[in-house]
Amino acid sequence: QVQLVESGGGLVWAGGSLRVSCAGTGRSFSWYDIGWFRQAPGKEREFVAGIKLNGGTTEYSDSVKGRFTISRDNAKKSVYLQMNNLKPEDAAVYYCATLRIWPRVPHNFWGQGTQVTVSS
């Protein structure tokens, strides 16, 4: 099982942009579809975006469609989430995970995540 580490979170103003990264280890990184998920305080973890192993197909939740873009670079064993026009409701801990079932069901292996805070 590939291990994933999230980074790049921070504090931004509403309407601002941020890019979070997911770095993988192991030769099998490019074998997996990868998803981004997020969890806000008091809420369940929810799907945000997913990308197929070759990067050719993506999927987004309705709440972020048109604002967020997922991409990957298999040579760098990395997946990115570009977040534009951030809203206070986007504030959460963001996690990446390999996908067990495309596009929204993850393997149950989670890292520490990266905190995104959106100030209004």
Side-chain angles (χ1 to χ4, degrees), residues 46-108:
E46 64 174 356
F47 168 80
V48 175
I51 188 165
K52 284 278 197 179
L53 56 89
N54 64 3
T57 301
T58 57
E59 179 82 10
Y60 297 93
S61 68
D62 288 343
S63 61
V64 307
K65 199 172 296 183
R67 299 187 298 122
F68 290 12
T69 302
I70 188 171
S71 62
R72 70 189 293 163
D73 184 337
N74 286 336
K76 295 183 178 179
K77 299 181 182 178
S78 293
V79 173
Y80 308 101
L81 186 67
Q82 176 67 43
M83 303 182 289
N84 297 328
N85 190 22
L86 281 159
K87 303 176 180 180
E89 53 263 40
D90 295 317
V93 178
Y94 281 71
Y95 302 88
C96 58
T98 55
L99 295 176
R100 184 168 64 87
I101 301 174
W102 173 259
R104 297 172 183 244
V105 180
H107 287 106
N108 195 27

Coordinates of all heavy atoms in Angstrom, one line a residue, residues 46-108:
E46 N -15.7 14.1 3.9 CA -16.5 14.1 2.7 C -15.5 14.1 1.5 O -14.4 14.6 1.5 CB -17.4 15.3 2.6 CG -16.7 16.6 2.5 CD -17.7 17.8 2.3 OE1 -18.9 17.6 2.1 OE2 -17.2 18.9 2.3
F47 N -16.0 13.5 0.4 CA -15.3 13.5 -0.9 C -15.2 14.9 -1.5 O -16.2 15.6 -1.4 CB -16.0 12.6 -1.9 CG -15.5 12.7 -3.3 CD1 -14.3 12.0 -3.7 CD2 -16.2 13.4 -4.2 CE1 -13.9 12.1 -5.0 CE2 -15.8 13.5 -5.5 CZ -14.6 12.8 -5.9
V48 N -14.0 15.2 -2.0 CA -13.8 16.5 -2.7 C -13.6 16.4 -4.2 O -14.2 16.9 -5.0 CB -12.7 17.3 -2.0 CG1 -12.4 18.6 -2.8 CG2 -13.0 17.6 -0.6
A49 N -12.6 15.5 -4.5 CA -12.2 15.4 -5.9 C -11.4 14.1 -6.0 O -10.8 13.6 -5.1 CB -11.3 16.5 -6.4
G50 N -11.5 13.5 -7.3 CA -10.7 12.3 -7.5 C -10.1 12.4 -8.9 O -10.5 13.1 -9.8
I51 N -9.0 11.6 -9.1 CA -8.3 11.6 -10.3 C -7.8 10.1 -10.6 O -7.3 9.4 -9.8 CB -7.1 12.6 -10.4 CG1 -6.5 12.7 -11.8 CG2 -6.0 12.2 -9.3 CD1 -5.6 13.9 -11.9
K52 N -8.1 9.7 -11.9 CA -7.7 8.4 -12.3 C -6.2 8.2 -12.3 O -5.4 9.2 -12.4 CB -8.3 8.1 -13.7 CG -9.8 7.7 -13.6 CD -10.0 6.3 -13.2 CE -11.4 5.8 -13.6 NZ -11.5 4.4 -13.2
L53 N -5.7 7.0 -12.4 CA -4.3 6.8 -12.2 C -3.5 7.4 -13.4 O -2.3 7.8 -13.2 CB -4.0 5.3 -12.2 CG -4.5 4.3 -13.3 CD1 -3.5 4.2 -14.4 CD2 -4.8 2.9 -12.8
N54 N -4.0 7.5 -14.6 CA -3.3 8.2 -15.7 C -3.6 9.7 -15.8 O -3.1 10.3 -16.7 CB -3.6 7.5 -17.0 CG -5.1 7.6 -17.4 OD1 -5.9 8.2 -16.7 ND2 -5.4 7.0 -18.5
G55 N -4.4 10.2 -14.9 CA -4.7 11.6 -14.9 C -5.7 12.0 -15.9 O -6.1 13.2 -16.0
G56 N -6.3 11.1 -16.7 CA -7.1 11.5 -17.8 C -8.6 11.7 -17.4 O -9.3 12.3 -18.2
T57 N -9.0 11.3 -16.2 CA -10.4 11.4 -15.8 C -10.4 12.0 -14.4 O -9.6 11.5 -13.5 CB -11.1 10.1 -15.8 OG1 -11.1 9.6 -17.1 CG2 -12.5 10.2 -15.4
T58 N -11.2 13.0 -14.2 CA -11.4 13.6 -12.8 C -12.8 13.6 -12.5 O -13.7 13.6 -13.3 CB -10.8 15.0 -12.8 OG1 -11.5 15.8 -13.8 CG2 -9.3 15.0 -13.1
E59 N -13.1 13.8 -11.2 CA -14.4 13.9 -10.6 C -14.4 14.9 -9.5 O -13.4 14.9 -8.7 CB -14.9 12.5 -10.2 CG -16.3 12.4 -9.5 CD -17.4 12.3 -10.6 OE1 -17.0 12.1 -11.8 OE2 -18.5 12.4 -10.2
Y60 N -15.5 15.6 -9.3 CA -15.6 16.6 -8.3 C -16.9 16.6 -7.6 O -17.9 16.2 -8.2 CB -15.4 18.0 -8.9 CG -14.1 18.3 -9.5 CD1 -13.9 18.1 -10.9 CD2 -13.0 18.7 -8.8 CE1 -12.7 18.3 -11.5 CE2 -11.7 18.9 -9.4 CZ -11.6 18.7 -10.7 OH -10.4 18.9 -11.3
S61 N -16.9 17.0 -6.3 CA -18.2 17.1 -5.6 C -18.8 18.4 -6.2 O -18.2 19.3 -6.7 CB -17.9 17.3 -4.1 OG -17.2 18.5 -3.8
D62 N -20.1 18.5 -6.0 CA -20.8 19.6 -6.5 C -20.4 20.9 -5.9 O -20.4 22.0 -6.5 CB -22.3 19.4 -6.4 CG -22.9 18.4 -7.3 OD1 -22.3 18.1 -8.3 OD2 -24.0 17.9 -7.0
S63 N -20.0 20.8 -4.6 CA -19.7 22.0 -3.8 C -18.4 22.7 -4.3 O -18.2 23.9 -4.0 CB -19.6 21.7 -2.3 OG -18.6 20.7 -2.1
V64 N -17.5 22.0 -5.0 CA -16.2 22.5 -5.4 C -16.1 22.6 -6.9 O -15.1 23.2 -7.4 CB -15.1 21.8 -4.8 CG1 -15.2 21.6 -3.3 CG2 -14.9 20.4 -5.5
K65 N -17.0 22.0 -7.6 CA -16.9 22.0 -9.1 C -16.8 23.4 -9.6 O -17.6 24.3 -9.3 CB -18.1 21.3 -9.7 CG -18.0 20.8 -11.1 CD -19.2 19.9 -11.5 CE -19.3 18.6 -10.7 NZ -20.4 17.8 -11.1
G66 N -15.9 23.6 -10.5 CA -15.7 24.9 -11.1 C -14.7 25.8 -10.3 O -14.3 26.9 -10.8
R67 N -14.4 25.4 -9.1 CA -13.5 26.2 -8.3 C -12.2 25.5 -8.0 O -11.1 26.1 -7.9 CB -14.1 26.6 -7.0 CG -15.4 27.4 -7.1 CD -15.9 27.9 -5.7 NE -16.3 26.8 -4.9 CZ -15.8 26.6 -3.7 NH1 -14.8 27.4 -3.2 NH2 -16.2 25.6 -2.9
F68 N -12.3 24.2 -7.8 CA -11.1 23.3 -7.5 C -10.7 22.5 -8.7 O -11.5 22.1 -9.6 CB -11.4 22.3 -6.4 CG -11.6 23.0 -5.0 CD1 -11.8 24.3 -4.9 CD2 -11.7 22.2 -3.9 CE1 -12.0 24.9 -3.6 CE2 -11.9 22.7 -2.6 CZ -12.0 24.1 -2.5
T69 N -9.4 22.3 -8.8 CA -8.8 21.5 -9.9 C -7.8 20.4 -9.3 O -6.9 20.8 -8.6 CB -8.1 22.3 -11.0 OG1 -9.0 23.3 -11.5 CG2 -7.6 21.4 -12.1
I70 N -8.1 19.2 -9.6 CA -7.2 18.1 -9.2 C -6.3 17.7 -10.3 O -6.7 17.7 -11.5 CB -7.9 16.9 -8.7 CG1 -7.0 15.9 -8.0 CG2 -8.8 16.3 -9.7 CD1 -7.7 14.8 -7.3
S71 N -5.0 17.5 -10.0 CA -4.0 17.1 -11.1 C -3.0 16.1 -10.4 O -3.0 16.0 -9.2 CB -3.4 18.3 -11.7 OG -2.6 19.0 -10.7
R72 N -2.2 15.5 -11.3 CA -1.2 14.6 -10.7 C 0.0 14.6 -11.6 O -0.1 14.9 -12.8 CB -1.8 13.2 -10.5 CG -2.1 12.4 -11.8 CD -2.8 11.1 -11.4 NE -1.9 10.2 -10.7 CZ -2.4 9.1 -10.0 NH1 -3.7 8.9 -10.0 NH2 -1.6 8.3 -9.4
D73 N 1.1 14.3 -11.0 CA 2.4 14.1 -11.7 C 3.0 12.8 -11.2 O 3.6 12.8 -10.1 CB 3.3 15.3 -11.4 CG 4.6 15.3 -12.2 OD1 5.0 14.2 -12.6 OD2 5.2 16.3 -12.4
N74 N 2.8 11.7 -12.0 CA 3.3 10.4 -11.5 C 4.8 10.4 -11.4 O 5.3 9.6 -10.6 CB 2.7 9.3 -12.4 CG 1.2 9.1 -12.2 OD1 0.7 9.4 -11.1 ND2 0.6 8.5 -13.2
A75 N 5.5 11.1 -12.3 CA 6.9 11.1 -12.2 C 7.4 11.7 -10.8 O 8.4 11.2 -10.3 CB 7.5 11.9 -13.3
K76 N 6.6 12.6 -10.3 CA 6.9 13.1 -8.9 C 6.2 12.5 -7.8 O 6.3 12.9 -6.7 CB 6.7 14.6 -8.9 CG 7.5 15.4 -9.9 CD 7.3 16.9 -9.8 CE 8.2 17.7 -10.7 NZ 7.9 19.2 -10.6
K77 N 5.4 11.5 -8.2 CA 4.5 10.8 -7.2 C 3.7 11.7 -6.4 O 3.7 11.7 -5.2 CB 5.4 9.9 -6.3 CG 6.2 8.8 -7.1 CD 7.0 7.9 -6.1 CE 7.8 6.9 -6.9 NZ 8.6 6.1 -6.0
S78 N 3.1 12.7 -7.1 CA 2.3 13.7 -6.4 C 1.0 14.0 -7.0 O 0.8 13.8 -8.2 CB 3.1 15.0 -6.4 OG 4.3 14.9 -5.6
V79 N 0.0 14.3 -6.2 CA -1.3 14.8 -6.6 C -1.5 16.1 -6.0 O -1.1 16.4 -4.8 CB -2.4 13.8 -6.2 CG1 -3.8 14.3 -6.5 CG2 -2.2 12.4 -6.9
Y80 N -2.1 17.0 -6.7 CA -2.3 18.4 -6.3 C -3.8 18.7 -6.3 O -4.6 18.2 -7.1 CB -1.6 19.4 -7.2 CG -0.1 19.0 -7.4 CD1 0.3 18.3 -8.5 CD2 0.8 19.3 -6.4 CE1 1.6 18.0 -8.7 CE2 2.1 18.9 -6.6 CZ 2.5 18.3 -7.7 OH 3.9 18.0 -7.9
L81 N -4.2 19.7 -5.5 CA -5.5 20.2 -5.5 C -5.4 21.7 -5.5 O -5.0 22.3 -4.5 CB -6.4 19.7 -4.3 CG -7.8 20.1 -4.3 CD1 -8.6 19.4 -5.4 CD2 -8.5 19.8 -2.9
Q82 N -5.7 22.3 -6.6 CA -5.7 23.8 -6.7 C -7.1 24.3 -6.3 O -8.1 23.9 -6.9 CB -5.4 24.2 -8.1 CG -5.4 25.7 -8.4 CD -4.3 26.5 -7.6 OE1 -3.2 26.1 -7.6 NE2 -4.7 27.6 -7.0
M83 N -7.1 25.2 -5.3 CA -8.4 25.6 -4.8 C -8.5 27.1 -5.0 O -7.6 27.9 -4.5 CB -8.5 25.3 -3.3 CG -8.3 23.8 -3.0 SD -8.5 23.4 -1.3 CE -7.0 24.1 -0.6
N84 N -9.4 27.5 -5.8 CA -9.6 29.0 -6.1 C -11.0 29.4 -5.6 O -11.9 28.6 -5.3 CB -9.6 29.2 -7.6 CG -8.3 28.8 -8.3 OD1 -7.2 29.0 -7.6 ND2 -8.3 28.4 -9.5
N85 N -11.1 30.7 -5.4 CA -12.3 31.3 -4.9 C -12.8 30.6 -3.6 O -14.0 30.2 -3.5 CB -13.4 31.3 -6.0 CG -14.7 32.1 -5.6 OD1 -14.6 33.0 -4.8 ND2 -15.8 31.7 -6.2
L86 N -11.9 30.5 -2.7 CA -12.2 29.7 -1.5 C -13.3 30.4 -0.7 O -13.4 31.7 -0.6 CB -10.9 29.6 -0.6 CG -10.0 28.4 -1.1 CD1 -8.6 28.6 -0.6 CD2 -10.6 27.1 -0.7
K87 N -14.1 29.6 0.0 CA -15.2 30.1 0.8 C -15.0 29.6 2.2 O -14.3 28.6 2.5 CB -16.5 29.5 0.3 CG -16.8 29.9 -1.2 CD -18.1 29.2 -1.7 CE -18.4 29.5 -3.1 NZ -19.6 28.9 -3.6
P88 N -15.6 30.3 3.2 CA -15.4 29.9 4.6 C -15.8 28.4 4.8 O -15.2 27.7 5.6 CB -16.3 30.8 5.4 CG -16.3 32.1 4.5 CD -16.3 31.6 3.1
E89 N -16.8 27.9 4.0 CA -17.3 26.6 4.2 C -16.3 25.5 3.6 O -16.5 24.3 3.8 CB -18.6 26.4 3.6 CG -18.7 26.8 2.1 CD -19.3 28.2 2.0 OE1 -19.0 29.1 2.8 OE2 -20.1 28.4 1.1
D90 N -15.2 26.0 2.9 CA -14.2 25.1 2.5 C -13.1 24.8 3.6 O -12.3 23.9 3.4 CB -13.4 25.7 1.3 CG -14.3 25.9 0.1 OD1 -15.1 24.9 -0.2 OD2 -14.2 26.9 -0.6
A91 N -13.2 25.5 4.7 CA -12.3 25.3 5.8 C -12.4 23.9 6.3 O -13.5 23.5 6.7 CB -12.5 26.3 6.8
A92 N -11.3 23.2 6.4 CA -11.3 21.8 6.9 C -9.9 21.3 6.9 O -9.0 21.9 6.4 CB -12.2 20.9 5.9
V93 N -9.8 20.1 7.4 CA -8.5 19.3 7.2 C -8.7 18.5 5.9 O -9.7 17.8 5.8 CB -8.2 18.4 8.4 CG1 -6.9 17.6 8.1 CG2 -8.1 19.2 9.7
Y94 N -7.7 18.7 5.1 CA -7.8 18.0 3.7 C -6.9 16.8 3.8 O -5.7 16.9 4.2 CB -7.4 19.0 2.6 CG -8.5 19.9 2.3 CD1 -8.9 20.9 3.2 CD2 -9.2 19.8 1.1 CE1 -9.9 21.8 2.8 CE2 -10.2 20.7 0.8 CZ -10.6 21.6 1.6 OH -11.6 22.5 1.3
Y95 N -7.4 15.7 3.3 CA -6.7 14.4 3.2 C -6.7 13.9 1.8 O -7.6 14.0 1.1 CB -7.4 13.4 4.1 CG -7.5 13.7 5.5 CD1 -8.7 14.4 6.0 CD2 -6.6 13.3 6.5 CE1 -8.8 14.7 7.3 CE2 -6.8 13.6 7.8 CZ -7.9 14.3 8.2 OH -8.0 14.6 9.6
C96 N -5.6 13.2 1.4 CA -5.6 12.4 0.2 C -5.6 10.9 0.5 O -5.1 10.5 1.6 CB -4.5 12.8 -0.7 SG -2.8 12.6 0.0
A97 N -6.1 10.1 -0.4 CA -6.2 8.7 -0.2 C -6.2 8.0 -1.5 O -6.8 8.5 -2.5 CB -7.4 8.4 0.7
T98 N -5.7 6.8 -1.5 CA -6.0 5.9 -2.7 C -7.4 5.5 -2.7 O -8.1 5.4 -1.6 CB -5.1 4.7 -2.7 OG1 -5.3 4.0 -1.4 CG2 -3.6 5.1 -2.8
L99 N -8.0 5.3 -3.9 CA -9.4 5.0 -4.0 C -9.6 3.5 -4.2 O -9.0 2.9 -5.0 CB -10.0 5.7 -5.2 CG -10.0 7.3 -5.1 CD1 -10.5 7.9 -6.3 CD2 -10.8 7.7 -3.9
R100 N -10.5 3.0 -3.4 CA -10.8 1.5 -3.5 C -11.9 1.3 -4.6 O -11.9 0.4 -5.3 CB -11.4 1.1 -2.1 CG -11.7 -0.4 -2.1 CD -11.9 -0.9 -0.6 NE -13.0 -0.2 0.0 CZ -14.3 -0.7 -0.1 NH1 -14.5 -1.7 -0.8 NH2 -15.3 0.0 0.5
I101 N -12.9 2.3 -4.6 CA -13.9 2.2 -5.7 C -14.0 3.6 -6.2 O -14.2 4.6 -5.5 CB -15.3 1.8 -5.1 CG1 -15.2 0.4 -4.4 CG2 -16.3 1.8 -6.2 CD1 -16.4 0.0 -3.7
W102 N -13.8 3.8 -7.5 CA -13.9 5.0 -8.2 C -15.3 5.6 -8.2 O -16.3 4.8 -8.4 CB -13.4 4.9 -9.7 CG -13.7 6.1 -10.5 CD1 -14.7 6.4 -11.4 CD2 -12.8 7.3 -10.5 NE1 -14.5 7.6 -11.9 CE2 -13.4 8.2 -11.4 CE3 -11.7 7.7 -9.8 CZ2 -12.8 9.5 -11.6 CZ3 -11.1 8.9 -10.0 CH2 -11.7 9.8 -10.9
P103 N -15.5 6.9 -7.9 CA -14.5 7.8 -7.6 C -14.4 8.2 -6.1 O -13.6 9.0 -5.7 CB -14.9 9.1 -8.4 CG -16.4 9.0 -8.3 CD -16.8 7.5 -8.3
R104 N -15.3 7.7 -5.3 CA -15.5 8.3 -4.0 C -15.2 7.4 -2.8 O -15.4 7.9 -1.6 CB -17.0 8.8 -3.9 CG -17.3 9.9 -4.9 CD -18.8 10.3 -4.9 NE -19.0 11.3 -5.9 CZ -19.4 12.5 -5.7 NH1 -19.7 12.9 -4.5 NH2 -19.6 13.4 -6.7
V105 N -14.9 6.2 -3.0 CA -14.7 5.3 -1.9 C -13.2 5.0 -1.7 O -12.5 4.4 -2.5 CB -15.4 3.9 -2.1 CG1 -15.2 3.0 -0.9 CG2 -16.9 4.2 -2.3
P106 N -12.7 5.5 -0.5 CA -11.2 5.4 -0.3 C -10.8 4.1 0.4 O -11.7 3.5 1.0 CB -10.9 6.6 0.6 CG -12.2 6.7 1.4 CD -13.3 6.3 0.5
H107 N -9.6 3.7 0.2 CA -9.0 2.8 1.1 C -8.9 3.5 2.5 O -8.7 4.7 2.6 CB -7.6 2.4 0.7 CG -7.6 1.5 -0.5 ND1 -7.2 1.9 -1.8 CD2 -7.9 0.1 -0.6 CE1 -7.3 0.9 -2.6 NE2 -7.7 -0.2 -2.0
N108 N -9.1 2.7 3.5 CA -9.1 3.3 4.8 C -7.7 3.5 5.5 O -7.5 3.0 6.6 CB -10.0 2.5 5.8 CG -10.4 3.2 7.0 OD1 -10.5 4.5 7.0 ND2 -10.7 2.5 8.1

